[in-house]
Amino acid sequence: MTAATNFHLSIDLGLPSHDVLRLDARSEGLLQQLDEGFDLITLEDGFALPTGDGVDSVLFANWLGARTSHAGILAGAPVNFLEPFHVSTAIATLDYVTEGRAGLLAQSLDDNRAAAARRATGQLNGYPDENRQALEQDFSEAIDVIRRLWDSWEDDAVIRDRESQRFIDGAKLRYVDFRGTNFNVLGPSITPRPPQGQPVIAAIIEPGNLASLASSIDLVFLRASDEQLPSLVKDIRYGRPELRLFADVGFGAGWSGKETILQGAADVEAAIASARRLASAGVDGIRFLPREPERDLTPLVEHVLPAIRDAGLVQPRHGSALRERLSLPAAANRYVGTAA
């Protein structure tokens, strides 16, 4: 098999808090290997998971972003629960911290988590109803307004004019005035437009749940069996050919997902075979999901990644900005050229 074109490797580090502390205590060598070995590092937010366990992924992303220089970093956020305005400013800030390597992994609460969130706040207003259709509509609206807020500053809005003592050209800020089903946002953002203009937005997709594709998503992580994956890729490519598709692959003994690479002597060959199969299925990359990061990260970066690269399945990365590396088009500002 010849070298894949723009085939990417990524990993999720959505760690419980105690694992983050252990990672911080270990040598910087592991972080450097993760940074150099992967195109993307995702951080699924623990609150959106059924267990509700884990660190705040946006905070962790900023900690990680300051200690890396190559890998893109996608911070997870439960957009059905957090204020879209705050998510927008947080990811814009992360894009500045990482100098254009940031993105948002938009996570949707399931019905049970949505109900728990409403009970925890003691209020109903501002949150979607506890049914799948309402959650999906709210998810789509949240993504829409997050993107609008990123565009609410023109790229040259910050002028720092000493003579007139003006820091911002107010004519280059836009009022979003978004009115959704459950929330309204006026804007503009309190954070200048991110370095990428529009940081990458990703979502997790499973067979039978393609509703998130109605939003302006750039990248999806597919969770499907070997039998389901080809038809799922075909369906998505037909409706959204510009999307970047990554397949989720479990790594480590005892992982409970559909696709597992068992730890042991066969790890490397299994990883190469899995990568070849997924590349042939038409995906743009793999996202590894370590079962036990404390145990699984070292063999993954020291043995599996070098073998995949030596097999010619990936090519050197190009571009420092994440959008450029993923061959996504430059993000135009929707408000440029329109009336203030």
Side-chain angles (χ1 to χ4, degrees):
M1 179 179 177
T2 58
T5 300
N6 294 327
F7 193 76
H8 303 280
L9 300 177
S10 62
I11 188 171
D12 183 71
L13 289 182
L15 307 175
S17 56
H18 61 275
D19 279 340
V20 173
L21 294 176
R22 290 193 188 117
L23 181 63
D24 191 21
R26 295 169 71 171
S27 69
E28 291 295 318
L30 179 58
L31 284 180
Q32 182 178 355
Q33 288 175 303
L34 292 171
D35 186 29
E36 295 176 352
F38 291 100
D39 294 294
L40 282 175
I41 297 174
T42 65
L43 308 170
E44 291 192 29
D45 191 85
F47 183 82
L49 302 177
T51 61
D53 178 37
V55 298
D56 184 309
S57 66
V58 173
L59 294 179
F60 185 22
N62 280 277
W63 178 90
L64 192 63
R67 289 163 173 79
T68 56
S69 58
H70 300 287
I73 299 177
L74 270 61
V79 296
N80 294 125
F81 179 74
L82 298 179
E83 294 281 356
F85 190 96
H86 295 159
V87 174
S88 174
T89 58
I91 301 301
T93 300
L94 180 62
D95 206 37
Y96 278 103
V97 170
T98 60
E99 298 181 318
R101 294 182 287 121
L104 167 66
L105 175 56
Q107 296 173 257
S108 179
L109 298 180
D110 62 26
D111 295 1
N112 292 332
R113 292 295 294 153
R118 288 157 65 96
R119 289 194 298 270
T121 60
Q123 60 182 7
L124 301 179
N125 294 333
Y127 292 93
D129 292 334
E130 298 165 17
N131 62 75
R132 180 48 42 191
Q133 183 177 359
L135 288 169
E136 289 171 351
Q137 181 178 359
D138 187 77
F139 181 93
S140 180
E141 290 181 349
I143 298 300
D144 185 12
V145 76
I146 286 169
R147 287 206 181 277
R148 290 173 183 268
L149 286 165
W150 286 337
D151 280 343
S152 65
W153 290 53
E154 294 188 25
D155 290 327
D156 55 352
V158 177
I159 55 176
R160 296 185 175 93
D161 189 336
R162 292 179 179 272
E163 184 174 343
S164 64
Q165 298 186 357
R166 290 192 306 156
F167 182 75
I168 298 170
D169 182 350
K172 294 179 184 267
L173 271 60
R174 310 294 175 161
Y175 287 93
V176 172
D177 196 15
F178 180 90
R179 301 182 183 276
T181 304
N182 298 296
F183 60 86
N184 302 327
V185 175
L186 181 60
S189 176
I190 57 174
T191 306
R193 194 165 189 251
Q196 294 181 94
Q198 290 283 328
V200 173
I201 297 184
I204 300 168
I205 299 296
E206 298 180 1
N209 182 23
L210 302 183
S212 296
L213 296 181
S215 304
S216 52
I217 300 295
D218 300 302
L219 185 157
V220 296
F221 298 107
L222 305 174
R223 291 185 177 171
S225 66
D226 284 350
E227 295 75 20
Q228 295 170 317
L229 187 65
S231 60
L232 182 60
V233 170
K234 182 179 179 181
D235 290 344
I236 295 175
R237 292 286 189 209
Y238 178 78
R240 295 283 303 278
E242 78 284 0
L243 275 173
R244 301 295 177 263
L245 308 181
F246 282 45
D248 277 353
V249 176
F251 182 85
W255 195 77
S256 58
K258 300 289 176 61
E259 180 75 43
T260 303
I261 299 174
L262 297 177
Q263 189 162 356
D267 272 3
V268 172
E269 291 302 321
I272 293 174
S274 180
R276 291 186 189 277
R277 183 174 65 255
L278 293 170
S280 298
V283 300
D284 301 298
I286 293 174
R287 181 172 70 144
F288 288 103
L289 306 178
R291 169 66 174 174
E292 296 182 19
E294 180 78 6
R295 177 197 65 191
D296 298 331
L297 288 181
T298 297
L300 182 57
V301 299
E302 291 185 355
H303 302 292
V304 174
L305 291 190
I308 291 177
R309 294 189 183 281
D310 290 345
L313 290 167
V314 294
Q315 295 178 332
R317 293 173 291 190
H318 299 286
S320 57
L322 184 54
R323 292 189 65 89
E324 183 181 0
R325 189 179 305 165
L326 294 176
S327 300
L328 292 168
N333 190 320
R334 75 191 67 200
Y335 298 117
V336 171
T338 64

